[in-house]
Amino acid sequence: MAQDDRTVLEAARAAGRLGERATLLQFSSAFCQPCRAARRVLAQVADMVPGVAQLEVDAESRPALAAQLGIEGTPTVFVLDSRGRTVRRAQGVPRKADVIAALGEAVA
């Protein structure tokens, strides 16, 4: 497992319990309007797919972690497989279809 994957996994574990099949991890900030939209999309997908957890990390309260992962803006979303490895990473509000496609890779 690459160092960045370990760091993302540690952040996910600190934010809550990982999903049995996959985890949707969002880095957000308090006054970020797109973060709210991303949160809704991720929640909808997590509710549709059994074994998928949705977690969130406040990038403003964890600036060193955000810098270590090269997060330059919020929302930044990571799709993790069942072992916590990053399958996909995207910045901005994800489309539901793209999140579902990434989950397809994560649970395959």
Side-chain angles (χ1 to χ4, degrees):
M1 184 179 281
Q3 180 60 37
D4 277 359
D5 281 341
R6 279 193 269 284
T7 304
V8 171
L9 179 58
E10 290 170 15
R13 285 185 176 143
R17 185 176 174 164
L18 299 178
E20 293 174 16
R21 298 178 68 201
T23 302
L24 303 173
L25 177 65
Q26 175 181 333
F27 280 79
S28 59
S29 51
F31 298 105
C32 168
Q33 289 293 338
C35 294
R36 293 182 184 129
R39 186 179 307 118
R40 282 191 298 273
V41 170
L42 297 179
Q44 290 171 353
V45 174
D47 287 344
M48 290 172 37
V49 184
V52 174
Q54 175 197 6
L55 302 175
E56 191 167 356
V57 174
D58 180 0
E60 292 173 328
S61 68
R62 307 281 308 270
L65 175 62
Q68 184 177 0
L69 292 172
I71 294 172
E72 297 176 355
T74 57
T76 297
V77 176
F78 292 84
V79 178
L80 310 178
D81 66 13
S82 62
R83 292 180 280 190
R85 292 181 304 190
T86 302
V87 173
R88 182 113 22 119
R89 172 188 173 144
Q91 187 172 334
V93 178
R95 293 179 332 132
K96 186 189 280 188
D98 293 337
V99 176
I100 293 169
L103 279 178
E105 293 176 38
V107 300

